[in-house]
Amino acid sequence: MEYFLFTYPNCTKCEEIKNYLGGADIEGQECNLVLKESKLKIREFLGCLKRDDKGAIIIPTLVLQENGEVVNVLNNSKELEDWLRSKA
């Protein structure tokens, strides 16, 4: 299992999910969306990302993959906690 976490600086929800991931046994990387590389990376997942009522991508976005396939997309630490609990 691996992840890509798409975040923005100074985002409290992003910090919460990063802190929660610190205690989880999952490998992955954070992708700061002010960086060009991260903006290019998130495009790979446009078809599965959750959006708000105005069509904007919800941040933070945690894309969980297994064997290169997306298995889940989560947007906050509560969703992550529930998902991890369901896998235990």
Side-chain angles (χ1 to χ4, degrees):
M1 181 78 57
E2 67 176 350
Y3 70 81
F4 293 98
L5 176 61
F6 297 95
T7 63
Y8 278 119
N10 304 316
C11 167
T12 55
K13 290 181 181 181
C14 296
E15 291 301 318
E16 286 175 12
I17 201 165
K18 284 193 288 188
N19 289 337
Y20 200 91
L21 275 169
D25 188 25
I26 306 173
E27 296 293 320
Q29 69 183 62
E30 180 182 352
C31 301
N32 185 327
L33 289 170
V34 298
L35 302 174
K36 182 179 180 179
E37 304 83 39
S38 296
K39 291 177 185 177
L40 293 172
K41 186 67 178 171
I42 200 170
R43 290 180 182 179
E44 296 177 25
F45 304 106
L46 288 179
C48 62
L49 300 180
K50 297 176 188 174
R51 297 176 181 269
D52 65 15
D53 58 349
K54 295 180 183 175
I57 296 169
I58 298 171
I59 301 298
T61 290
L62 176 65
V63 178
L64 296 159
Q65 290 188 308
E66 194 162 4
N67 300 320
E69 296 292 323
V70 174
V71 294
N72 211 335
V73 177
L74 308 171
N75 295 104
N76 59 55
S77 57
K78 175 69 171 129
E79 288 178 356
L80 177 58
E81 178 183 4
D82 291 346
W83 184 81
L84 288 171
R85 227 184 272 138
S86 76
K87 297 294 176 191

